[in-house]
Amino acid sequence: MANSVISWVLRQGLGVGLLSLGVLSSARADTTLVAVAANFSGTAQTIASDFKRMSGHTVTLVPGGTGKLYAQIKNGAPYQVLLSADDETPSRLVQEGAALANSQFTYATGRLVLWSPQPGVVDAPGTVLGAAGLRVAMADPKTAPYGAAAMQVMQQRGVWQGLQGRLIQGESIAQTYQFVASGNAPMGFVALSQVMRDGRLADGSAWQVPVHLHQALRQDAVLLNPGQGQAAALAFLAYLRTEPARRVMRAVGYE
């Protein structure tokens, strides 16, 4: 009965607020395997921990670049849920018959930031992008949505061509963050969630990129075929729509 109620909620596009905590926890405790975009992995760990305390279900997270996760899914990886860094990849999986259309929804909207761990390096208006000899880290725009957004920002600012040969490219937004945090790059385009703690910038200097400079970073979740009928997978997707989960997301800069 619990599974059918959760499934109905997802089909109707309703929030878990319509479900009592008793419904979510009444199903047999189970484990779900969730592929999660690198930029959301830390936030997902917190949410998964809260979800386990509430429901008894365990969430096993496998972080990675969205493009790589897509390839793994297509090659038969048994993920039950995908938390993507974009909305295109889940839609593509639905169209290709690898995911359920009625389960797809936007769980968060990300923000892009140009960040340095050193104070005074990045100015609030982002004019540092025009500095001579600048070296900037970014994620691969071909496979990482945040990398594609960074490219769009640099194109909008008219510096994309001039920075060729001086861009430090990571395979994912997680690797890009490591390049900057370790000092291998003086600054880089990363996810705001990677540098925010309790609603404020943790350290360093940053330019929060205006959203009109790039395509919206809508991040969609979707139930993959191996997750059909799995209580933990369905319950976790439902929990992402609750206020407790959203509160965790807002605290690190997601909208």
Side-chain angles (χ1 to χ4, degrees):
M1 177 63 178
N3 291 352
S4 63
V5 172
I6 294 170
S7 182
W8 181 86
V9 168
L10 289 172
R11 288 200 306 272
Q12 299 300 316
L14 301 175
V16 176
L18 297 180
L19 298 177
S20 68
L21 298 186
V23 167
L24 281 177
S25 60
S26 63
R28 180 177 61 85
D30 206 346
T31 298
T32 182
L33 187 62
V34 176
V36 56
N39 73 284
F40 197 72
S41 61
T43 308
Q45 288 174 8
T46 301
I47 293 173
S49 179
D50 294 343
F51 171 70
K52 182 175 182 178
R53 284 196 301 271
M54 184 203 69
S55 69
H57 295 305
T58 298
V59 179
T60 299
L61 299 169
V62 181
T66 294
K68 285 197 170 184
L69 293 174
Y70 168 81
Q72 291 170 3
I73 292 165
K74 293 297 292 181
N75 286 327
Y79 303 135
Q80 296 177 346
V81 171
L82 172 64
L83 304 184
S84 180
D86 63 3
D87 56 358
E88 296 175 0
T89 300
S91 295
R92 185 176 177 186
L93 288 167
V94 167
Q95 292 169 2
E96 294 170 346
L100 280 70
N102 60 7
S103 68
Q104 183 177 348
F105 66 95
T106 300
Y107 65 90
T109 301
R111 289 293 305 273
L112 185 69
V113 61
L114 180 63
W115 173 72
S116 170
Q118 301 300 320
V121 173
V122 178
D123 58 325
T127 54
V128 68
L129 280 177
L134 186 70
R135 295 172 66 243
V136 181
M138 63 177 290
D140 185 352
K142 295 179 181 178
T143 59
Y146 279 77
M151 181 179 69
Q152 292 165 8
V153 171
M154 288 183 276
Q155 289 172 334
Q156 289 282 347
R157 282 295 182 91
V159 299
W160 174 249
Q161 293 301 325
L163 285 172
Q164 298 307 299
R166 288 185 280 120
L167 294 169
I168 303 167
Q169 189 167 287
E171 291 184 355
S172 68
I173 198 68
Q175 187 180 56
T176 304
Y177 171 79
Q178 288 301 324
F179 285 160
V180 184
S182 65
N184 289 321
M187 68 187 71
F189 285 98
V190 299
L192 180 61
S193 60
Q194 293 173 304
V195 296
M196 278 195 77
R197 304 291 184 273
D198 298 321
R200 57 183 296 179
L201 190 69
D203 51 30
S205 53
W207 171 48
Q208 293 189 37
V209 179
V211 295
H212 70 270
L213 291 179
H214 61 81
Q215 186 174 354
L217 288 163
R218 285 188 292 271
Q219 302 192 190
D220 276 17
V222 71
L223 182 70
L224 302 170
N225 287 348
Q228 293 187 60
Q230 298 297 318
L234 292 168
F236 183 63
L237 280 172
Y239 183 72
L240 286 172
R241 298 183 177 190
T242 67
E243 180 55 27
R246 290 170 175 163
R247 191 180 305 122
V248 172
M249 297 182 211
R250 287 196 297 268
V252 292
Y254 289 103
E255 298 177 353

